[in-house]
Amino acid sequence: MNLDQKHSGKLFILSGPSGAGKGTICKRLLEETELELSISMTTRAPREGEIHGQHYYFVDEEEFVKRIEADGFLEHAQVYGRRYGTPKEPVIEKLEKGIDVILEIDIQGALKVKENYPDGVFVFILPPSMSELRKRLTGRGTETAEAIEMRLGETLKELSFIEKYDYCVVNGELEEAVARVKSIVVAEHSRVTMTAEELVRRYKEDE
Amino acid sequence: MNLDQKHSGKLFILSGPSGAGKGTICKRLLEETELELSISMTTRAPREGEIHGQHYYFVDEEEFVKRIEADGFLEHAQVYGRRYGTPKEPVIEKLEKGIDVILEIDIQGALKVKENYPDGVFVFILPPSMSELRKRLTGRGTETAEAIEMRLGETLKELSFIEKYDYCVVNGELEEAVARVKSIVVAEHSRVTMTAEELVRRYKEDE
């Protein structure tokens, strides 16, 4: 009897404001679990060392637009004239094989994914506090104080989308946050999805 | 800022057919986590070594009936003229203090709890197969072969209530089943319950 509690894969969307640490958590999950990363598609040129099908699917404008028209993205956006998107097909293929997929994405993107794939499990990664977030963004040393304040203002707006998510994980202690996301993955695979009829039939077959 | 992801306790109902191993899993959780057991009330006499308020609350018929009339039970039943029930008050008190409570109970009882406390997290413990369940029940050596077959028939009926539950955990390997229930507890405390307004307010206060 197949009751191994893992009939098909699930799509886990890890999202949250910049600086909350979703990238770090995602990296740890890829290293320590069987979750596989959803790979984005882009029209920008590959940078040195970037591999097609690993870092991104690199395509030209024509191919990207064709895919948009064929409803082939879970979400897509344009940034400074370059297109970025999450192609549906590779994600669905993995899920059908029983592989869990993780998608790390900003909040705008996650909200679009939710429209196209409401069965996803939406996890909001929260910074422990605004002051800690300011410290992290300042520590990166890549933005001016003014840009950071703008980003913090943006974050407060982004937090208001929390109710669109299933789970939230405060990333204060990284270990704890990683463990929490792992627990969410296990719990989601323990949810009752089978009908009573199906369950009884399985047990009867085994008698 | 209090964002410790544990604002109030949750009631976890561990239920399932006889022989599925809910008692063993419950014992492990009490030993290894901060979950506290819900203690039943009964009108039967204490057996040797049984302590009031630890194994049971031992009360007389009059007190039990008074409590029923005051709507003071999450569930109650009568077995061979003795009454058993889950008193509401001690459970609610713990939950309000932020303590998670675990209630180990048969399926009939769990369904009654669900009517009275739908906010509970209902976990169905499943045996890995009917043949394994038969083996376990036979191994106990407490029942005749005939009684065991009756119980297995009963189990098939009980499985049909699976859809009333939030989660199901197959207890094939005990360690895995215990870990799975622990993950469910963590995930349930990661669910988004705060409103957007409340969350934004908290982060603003901290700025």
Side-chain angles (χ1 to χ4, degrees):
Chain A
M1 182 167 54
N2 173 21
L3 266 169
D4 62 356
Q5 307 214 254
K6 188 136 184 324
H7 314 293
S8 59
K10 290 210 175 217
L11 177 59
F12 294 89
I13 295 93
L14 232 63
S15 179
S18 180
K22 57 186 183 297
T24 315
I25 293 172
C26 184
K27 195 164 164 282
R28 286 282 304 271
L29 291 170
L30 292 172
E31 284 165 8
E32 296 166 25
T33 72
E34 291 183 348
L35 286 158
E36 292 188 11
L37 187 67
S38 160
I39 295 154
S40 296
M41 188 169 278
T42 182
T43 58
R44 80 154 167 76
R47 292 180 194 138
E48 214 184 303
E50 283 185 340
I51 298 160
H52 178 79
Q54 183 179 332
H55 299 94
Y56 280 97
Y57 298 108
F58 296 101
V59 298
D60 60 19
E61 177 74 12
E62 196 191 331
E63 195 178 331
F64 202 105
V65 171
K66 219 187 273 171
R67 202 175 270 257
I68 294 175
E69 285 163 359
D71 191 26
F73 285 104
L74 287 176
E75 59 76 37
H76 63 93
Q78 201 158 0
V79 184
Y80 299 124
R82 297 302 182 189
R83 296 184 186 270
Y84 297 85
T86 304
K88 244 184 225 177
E89 209 185 296
V91 171
I92 303 298
E93 269 177 16
K94 283 184 183 180
L95 298 179
E96 283 176 352
K97 280 189 207 157
I99 298 166
D100 287 331
V101 179
I102 193 161
L103 174 55
E104 185 212 331
I105 195 162
D106 63 17
I107 287 153
Q108 293 309 318
L111 296 175
K112 286 186 205 163
V113 174
K114 183 144 189 185
E115 277 171 35
N116 288 311
Y117 195 78
D119 283 351
V121 180
F122 292 80
V123 183
F124 201 107
I125 308 294
L126 286 168
S129 67
M130 289 304 276
S131 49
E132 173 62 25
L133 186 58
R134 179 179 287 113
K135 224 168 78 184
R136 287 183 193 174
L137 293 173
T138 309
R140 285 183 182 179
T142 51
E143 283 176 287
T144 62
E146 203 187 350
I148 288 171
E149 289 313 310
M150 265 187 63
R151 206 181 266 283
L152 291 172
E154 201 54 45
T155 297
L156 282 175
K157 277 182 226 155
E158 289 181 328
L159 292 177
S160 66
F161 291 106
I162 188 78
E163 290 170 49
K164 300 275 186 187
Y165 288 73
D166 302 299
Y167 296 97
C168 64
V169 171
V170 178
N171 183 19
E173 288 296 324
L174 179 64
E175 293 309 317
E176 202 193 311
V178 170
R180 206 175 266 273
V181 179
K182 285 182 184 172
S183 287
I184 291 168
V185 174
V186 173
E188 279 293 323
H189 279 293
S190 310
R191 296 193 78 81
V192 173
T193 51
M194 216 182 279
T195 63
E197 203 182 356
E198 199 182 339
L199 185 73
V200 171
R201 189 178 46 71
R202 279 177 187 233
Y203 275 91
K204 273 188 178 162
E205 274 172 10
D206 160 71
E207 253 220 303
Chain B
M1 180 167 54
N2 174 21
L3 266 171
D4 62 356
Q5 309 215 252
K6 189 140 185 320
H7 314 290
S8 59
K10 290 212 174 217
L11 176 60
F12 294 89
I13 295 93
L14 231 63
S15 179
S18 180
K22 57 187 184 296
T24 314
I25 293 172
C26 185
K27 194 164 166 283
R28 286 282 302 274
L29 291 169
L30 292 172
E31 285 165 7
E32 296 167 24
T33 73
E34 290 183 346
L35 286 157
E36 292 188 11
L37 188 67
S38 159
I39 295 154
S40 295
M41 188 169 276
T42 182
T43 58
R44 79 154 167 77
R47 293 179 193 140
E48 214 185 303
E50 282 185 339
I51 298 160
H52 178 79
Q54 183 180 332
H55 298 93
Y56 280 98
Y57 298 108
F58 296 101
V59 298
D60 61 19
E61 177 75 13
E62 196 191 330
E63 196 179 332
F64 201 105
V65 171
K66 219 187 272 171
R67 200 175 270 256
I68 294 175
E69 285 162 0
D71 192 27
F73 286 102
L74 287 176
E75 58 77 37
H76 63 91
Q78 201 157 1
V79 183
Y80 300 124
R82 297 303 183 188
R83 295 184 187 271
Y84 296 85
T86 304
K88 244 184 225 176
E89 209 184 297
V91 171
I92 302 299
E93 270 176 16
K94 284 184 181 178
L95 297 179
E96 283 175 353
K97 280 189 207 157
I99 298 166
D100 287 331
V101 179
I102 192 161
L103 173 56
E104 185 213 331
I105 194 162
D106 63 18
I107 287 154
Q108 293 309 317
L111 296 175
K112 285 186 203 164
V113 174
K114 182 143 191 187
E115 279 172 33
N116 288 310
Y117 195 79
D119 284 350
V121 179
F122 292 79
V123 183
F124 202 107
I125 308 294
L126 286 168
S129 67
M130 290 303 275
S131 48
E132 174 62 25
L133 186 58
R134 180 180 286 113
K135 225 168 79 185
R136 287 182 192 174
L137 293 173
T138 308
R140 286 182 179 178
T142 51
E143 283 176 286
T144 63
E146 203 187 350
I148 288 171
E149 288 313 310
M150 264 186 63
R151 206 181 267 281
L152 290 172
E154 200 55 44
T155 297
L156 282 174
K157 278 182 224 155
E158 289 180 328
L159 292 177
S160 67
F161 291 106
I162 188 78
E163 290 170 51
K164 299 276 186 187
Y165 287 73
D166 302 299
Y167 296 97
C168 65
V169 171
V170 177
N171 183 20
E173 288 297 323
L174 180 64
E175 293 309 317
E176 203 193 310
V178 170
R180 206 174 265 273
V181 180
K182 285 182 184 173
S183 287
I184 291 168
V185 173
V186 173
E188 279 293 323
H189 279 293
S190 310
R191 296 192 77 82
V192 173
T193 51
M194 217 182 276
T195 64
E197 203 182 356
E198 199 183 340
L199 186 73
V200 172
R201 189 177 48 70
R202 281 177 186 233
Y203 275 91
K204 274 189 178 160
E205 274 172 10
D206 162 68
E207 253 220 302

